[in-house]
Amino acid sequence: MIALIWLLIALPLAAGAVLAVTGTRLNRQAPALGVLVSVVTLGLAVAAASTRPSASVPLFAGIQAGLAVDGLSAVMVITVAAVTTAVLIFSAGEFGEDENRGRFFGLMLLFSGSMLVTVTATTLPLLLMSWELMGATSWALIGYWWRDPERARAADTAFLTTRTADLGLYLAAGAAMAGGAATLSLNALPHTGSPWLHLVTAGIVAAALGKSAQLPFSFWLSRAMQGPSPVSALLHSATMVAAGAYLLLRLHPLLAATSWAGPVVAWTGAVTALLLGVVAVAQRDLKQLLAASTASQIGFMVLAAGSGGVAGGTFQLVAHAAAKSGLFLAAGAWLTALGTKQLPSLRGAARTHRLVGACFTVGALTLAGLPPLSLWWAKDDVLASARAESAGLYLVGLAAAAVAAVYSVKALWYVTRPVPEDPQAGYDTERPGTRRVPAASAAPLLVLASAAAVLGVLALPGPAEWLRGLLGVPGEPSPKVWELGLSAAVALAAAGMSWWRPFRPRTLVPPAVVRWTDGWLQLERAAHAVVVRPVLAMARALAVFDDRVVDGVVRQVARGGLALAHQARRVDDSGIDTAVEAVGRGGLTAARQARRLDDGGIDAAVNAVASGTRSLGRWARRPQTGLLHQYYAQAAVGFCVLVLIVLLVR
C-alpha cells in the first residue's frame, strides 16, 4: 500500500518532468504519452481511494514528509485525476505539431501531480513544496504562448498575486513551530499554543483565499484567461483555485479553534460569491464570464468551510469541477473552430456545433443551479450549513445563487440564438478559426456533461449519508424541503428573467457601476495603486539613493584613494626612489673601493705569503735527495750544530 501512494504522485510528476524537458523531441508521441499517464494515474487514484494508503519518511529533524488518503483525499484524488484525463484527451486534438506539445503535456502532468501531493499531504512542509510547484507550473502554463508580451504579463500577474498570498503558509509554518506544533503535522496545527494559533490561522486563511481567487485577490483569475483553454479548464475546476477551498475544508478544525476565522472565511466566501457573480453578469467575453463565475462558485465552497459544512463544500467542489471543466472545454472548442470567445459573435454557435452546444447547455444549466442538476443540490447543502451559522450568510448565499442563474443563462442565451445571416462577420476576433471541432473533443465533453448532470445523486438520502460518513462529518445539517423549494424557485425565476430579458441590466444601473463590474471591481487597478506603484516608487527612490548617495560616497572614496595614490607615487619617486638610488650608488662606490683594497692589499699579502711558502717549499725539497749517505751527512751536520748550540748556550 505504501508503494501505491508514492506511485500515485510520482508517476505524473516524473512523466511530466520528462515530457517537459524533452519538449519538441517527443512532439508526436507527447499527446498519447500524456493521456496514457493520466489514465494510469486515474486507475491508481481509484485504487488509493479504495485502500486508503499512507506513508511517511523523515524530512528534517523531527519533521516528517507524510502522505495519506483519507475520506476527503479519496474524493479529491479521483476528481483531480478524472478531470486531468478528460482535459488531456481534449488537448490531444487542440494542439498541432507546430506547437511544443511535449512542454504542454509535461507541464499539465506536473500541475496535476502537484495537486495530488497537495490533497494527500499530511504535513505542512510537503504541502508547501507542492503549493510552490503548483504556482510555478501554473505560471508556465498561463504564459505557454510566452512570445506574446500580453500573455507573459498575465502569467506574471497571476503568479505574483498568488505568491503574495502564499507567504501566509510560511508565516503559518514559522508560527506553528514557535507555538509548539514542531512536527508541522496538519492535524497538530489546531493545537498550537496562543497567540501563535492566531498567526497560524491567519497565514493559512490568506494563502487559501489567494489561491482560490477570493476577494481581494480575484483579479488574477481574469488575467489567467490568457492561457490556452485546456489550461483554464484544469486550473478553474479541480486544481489551483480548488486547492484553496480544499485547504480550508481540510483545516476546518483550525478555523473552529479561533473565534474569528470561521466567520471571516464564511463572509469572505459569501461576499465573493455575490460580487464576482455580478462581475460575471457584466462580461461579454465567454471565458471572462466563466472565470468570474469560478471565483463566485468557489465562494460557495469557502462559505461552506467557514460555516462548518465540509460535506456540502466537498460536494460543491466535485460538482463544480465537472461542470466548469466541461464549460471551459466547450468554450475552447468554439475558440478553435470560430476564432472568437465574444458572446455576441458566438450567436448560434450551439446550433452550428450541436454536440458542443448540447454539452455546454448541460454545463450552463448545472452552473445555474437549476433542479435537479448537481449544483442545485450542492448549493443547498452549503446554504443549509450557512443558515445554521447565520441568517445573513444564508440570504447572501441565496442572492449569489440567483446571480449564478443569471450569468449562466446569459451565456446560454447567446450561444443558442438563431444563426445570424452572416455569422462569419463575427468570427476570428481572437485568431483565425479552423471552422471545425476536433473529433477528440467529443468524449471528454460528453463525460464531463454527464457527470455534471448526475452527480446530484450524492444528495439523495443514502448517498448523502455515505458521503458524510466518508468525510467523517455525520452530523452536518441537511437542507429542509422548504429550502430546496425556495432555492429552486429563486434559481428558476432568475434564469427566466435572464432568458426572456424583460429589461436590460445596463439600462438600470449607472455606467460607472457597469464599468466597475465589467473591470472585475477594478481590483487590479486598486492593487496597482495601493501596492505596485508605491513599491515601484520606493524602489526607484532607493535606486536614486543608491546612485547618488551610496555610489557617490563610493566614488568619492575611490577618487580620494586615487589622489592619495598619486601623492604616494610622487613621494615614492622623489624621496624613496632617490634615497634608494643614492644608497645604491654609495654601495657601488664602496664595492669598488673594497675591490681595490682587496686587489691591492689583501690579495697582495696573500700572494706574498703564497710566494714565501713556495720558496720555503723549494728550499725544503732540496735536502730530500733520496740518497742515504747524504741523509747521514745532513744528520751529522745537524748533530754538530745542535752540539754547538748546547755548548754555546751553557
Side-chain angles (χ1 to χ4, degrees), residues 236-403:
H236 285 245
S237 57
T239 62
M240 190 74 170
V241 293
Y246 160 79
L247 187 61
L248 292 175
L249 293 169
R250 161 69 65 192
L251 293 177
H252 173 257
L254 178 65
L255 304 182
T258 63
S259 58
W260 57 268
V264 167
V265 169
W267 277 106
T268 302
V271 173
T272 302
L274 180 59
L275 290 185
L276 268 295
V278 174
V279 170
V281 173
Q283 302 305 309
R284 295 171 67 84
D285 179 305
L286 178 56
K287 287 186 68 174
Q288 289 293 326
L289 184 151
L290 294 176
S293 76
T294 296
S296 175
Q297 294 289 325
I298 296 289
F300 283 100
M301 303 171 208
V302 174
L303 168 60
S307 304
V310 176
T314 305
F315 187 13
Q316 170 83 11
L317 193 156
V318 175
H320 175 259
K324 187 55 62 68
S325 54
L327 288 170
F328 266 112
L329 292 185
W334 282 328
L335 179 58
T336 300
L338 307 178
T340 184
K341 53 189 174 72
Q342 300 299 318
L343 284 171
S345 300
L346 287 171
R347 290 174 185 265
R351 297 170 185 264
T352 306
H353 302 283
R354 294 182 179 277
L355 176 62
V356 179
C359 295
F360 186 87
T361 300
V362 174
L365 294 177
T366 303
L367 194 66
L370 298 184
L373 301 172
S374 59
L375 279 175
W376 173 62
W377 296 99
K379 279 196 184 72
D380 283 327
D381 266 3
V382 173
L383 292 179
S385 299
R387 193 176 68 84
E389 289 292 311
S390 161
L393 281 175
Y394 175 76
L395 292 176
V396 174
L398 195 61
V403 176

Side-chain angles (χ1 to χ4, degrees), residues 131 162 165-166 168-169 201-214 217 220 240-249 251 255 265 298 302:
W131 204 266
T162 54
D166 290 349
L169 280 185
T201 309
I204 294 289
V205 168
L209 295 182
K211 204 65 127 185
S212 286
Q214 298 297 285
F217 303 102
W220 73 261
M240 190 74 170
V241 293
Y246 160 79
L247 187 61
L248 292 175
L249 293 169
L251 293 177
L255 304 182
V265 169
I298 296 289
V302 174

Side-chain angles (χ1 to χ4, degrees), residues 124-192:
L124 198 51
L126 195 60
L127 179 77
L128 255 173
M129 294 178 193
S130 60
W131 204 266
E132 294 289 357
L133 179 59
M134 193 188 310
T137 49
S138 69
W139 171 77
L141 285 168
I142 295 170
Y144 177 72
W145 291 310
W146 53 272
R147 287 185 174 83
D148 183 345
E150 181 62 26
R151 297 179 192 273
R153 282 194 292 271
D156 292 342
T157 298
F159 180 73
L160 292 175
T161 305
T162 54
R163 291 295 301 123
T164 301
D166 290 349
L167 294 177
L169 280 185
Y170 292 93
L171 173 67
M177 297 196 73
T183 62
L184 296 182
S185 166
L186 296 181
N187 292 331
L189 294 183
H191 307 294
T192 306

